[in-house]
């Protein structure tokens, strides 16, 4: 194949599949985890940044909690926060509390130069992934980061699934929502028809629409969806 034909083929493929290209690019960005580091010791902060970069992570470095909060946002990708406990101004544990108030669910790995057991217990009870005492082994930090990223990845998948389910549920008509609630309690079509005072054939039609709009052909899966959404029967 000549060079001219190769160029023509590439241009032709690009013109035919702009949507696919966009999807791939978006997915690639979303799959790049980001490690946020907050430590007032610049040398130590930079060394952590170099460590994480060496294994392929993107890194954001901050010298204080206030500096981090001033950015006003966290990465909308899989990420975790590596946070020094003792910081000038707002300390690490106080930042953890502040982030909780803001519903920022980023997993936190604490670091400290002092082995403070009560402090570590408090941090872990508040949801911290790990509490490492400086100096720590690089592998210990990388292991903690791996756990934190897995936790954040799972959380994001769960939240996305819930968002998708809510979106599907909102597409149901009021009557279809009633049918869904009754179907998932185990009632038969005839029983549902009696409860709603409609014909059984009408219930069958609504039930088919519910299954289609919710994206399932399995009653068992529909029941799980209802449980996830917290749907209860009309009489409960």
């Amino acid at each position: 194949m000549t060079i001219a034909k190769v160029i023509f083929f590439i241009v032709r493929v690009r013109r035919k599949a702009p949507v696919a290209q966009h999807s791939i690019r978006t997915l690639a960005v979303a799959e790049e985890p980001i490690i946020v580091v907050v430590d007032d010791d610049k040398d130590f902060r930079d060394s952590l940044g170099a460590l994480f970069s060496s294994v392929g992570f993107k890194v954001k470095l901050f010298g204080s909690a206030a500096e981090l909060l001033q950015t006003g946002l966290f990465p909308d990708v899989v990420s975790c926060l590596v946070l020094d406990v003792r910081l000038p101004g707002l300390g690490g544990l106080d930042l953890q509390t502040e982030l909780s108030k803001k519903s920022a669910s980023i997993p936190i790995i604490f670091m400290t130069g002092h082995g403070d057991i009560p402090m570590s217990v408090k941090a872990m009870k508040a949801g911290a992934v790990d509490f490492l005492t400086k100096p720590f082994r690089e592998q210990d930090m990388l292991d903690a980061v791996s756990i934190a990223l897995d936790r954040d990845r799972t959380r994001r998948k769960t939240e996305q699934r819930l968002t998708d389910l809510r979106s599907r549920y909102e597409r149901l008509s009021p009557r279809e929502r009633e049918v869904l609630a009754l179907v998932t309690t185990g009632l038969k079509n005839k029983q549902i028809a009696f409860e709603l005072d409609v014909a059984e054939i009408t219930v069958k039609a609504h039930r088919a629409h519910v299954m289609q709009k919710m994206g399932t052909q399995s009653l068992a899966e529909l029941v799980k969806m209802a449980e996830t959404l917290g749907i209860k029967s009309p009489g409960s």
Side-chain angles (χ1 to χ4, degrees), residues 191-212:
Q191 295 170 308
I192 296 172
F194 178 79
E195 288 284 338
L196 299 179
D197 192 23
V198 296
E200 185 177 350
I201 192 170
T202 302
V203 172
K204 289 181 179 179
H206 285 314
R207 183 168 179 163
H209 292 157
V210 168
M211 301 290 276
Q212 181 182 22

Side-chain angles (χ1 to χ4, degrees), residues 94-217:
D94 293 328
L95 176 60
Q96 183 186 33
T97 301
E98 193 68 23
L99 293 177
S100 179
K101 290 178 182 177
K102 296 177 182 293
S103 298
S105 301
I106 186 169
I108 300 176
I109 299 165
F110 278 104
M111 308 175 291
T112 181
H114 311 273
D116 190 327
I117 294 177
M119 189 182 295
S120 64
V121 170
K122 181 179 179 181
M124 298 299 282
K125 282 185 175 180
V129 174
D130 210 337
F131 198 100
L132 301 178
T133 302
K134 299 175 182 177
F136 45 76
R137 295 190 312 126
E138 290 184 347
Q139 189 59 52
D140 289 340
M141 173 58 77
L142 292 176
D143 289 344
V145 164
S146 177
I147 293 171
L149 294 178
D150 283 344
R151 180 181 296 185
D152 196 46
R153 191 174 289 109
T154 299
R155 176 187 65 82
R156 288 174 181 276
K157 286 181 179 178
T158 300
E159 290 180 353
Q160 184 59 55
R161 172 173 166 75
L162 182 57
T163 299
D164 291 344
L165 282 179
R166 284 174 177 163
S167 177
R168 295 178 200 175
Y169 182 71
E170 288 171 2
R171 292 199 295 267
L172 300 180
S173 69
R175 179 62 86 187
E176 288 168 349
R177 293 180 187 183
E178 288 180 318
V179 171
L180 168 61
L182 292 169
V183 164
T184 53
T185 62
L187 293 182
K188 304 294 184 182
N189 290 340
K190 184 180 296 186
Q191 295 170 308
I192 296 172
F194 178 79
E195 288 284 338
L196 299 179
D197 192 23
V198 296
E200 185 177 350
I201 192 170
T202 302
V203 172
K204 289 181 179 179
H206 285 314
R207 183 168 179 163
H209 292 157
V210 168
M211 301 290 276
Q212 181 182 22
K213 290 181 180 180
M214 293 302 292
T216 181
Q217 297 179 345

Side-chain angles (χ1 to χ4, degrees), residues 40-51:
D40 60 321
D41 184 330
K42 185 179 185 306
D43 291 338
F44 188 80
R45 185 170 70 241
D46 289 344
S47 68
L48 273 181
L51 171 64

Side-chain angles (χ1 to χ4, degrees), residues 27-80:
L27 181 62
V29 172
E31 287 184 342
E32 295 178 358
I34 295 179
I35 315 298
V36 179
V37 178
V38 182
D39 196 303
D40 60 321
D41 184 330
K42 185 179 185 306
D43 291 338
F44 188 80
R45 185 170 70 241
D46 289 344
S47 68
L48 273 181
L51 171 64
F52 296 138
S53 296
S54 70
V55 292
F57 293 127
K58 286 189 174 182
V59 188
K60 291 183 180 293
L61 305 176
F62 299 92
S64 68
E67 185 182 344
L68 172 63
L69 291 174
Q70 284 171 3
T71 63
L73 70 147
F74 282 90
D76 191 22
V77 295
V78 174
S79 55
C80 71

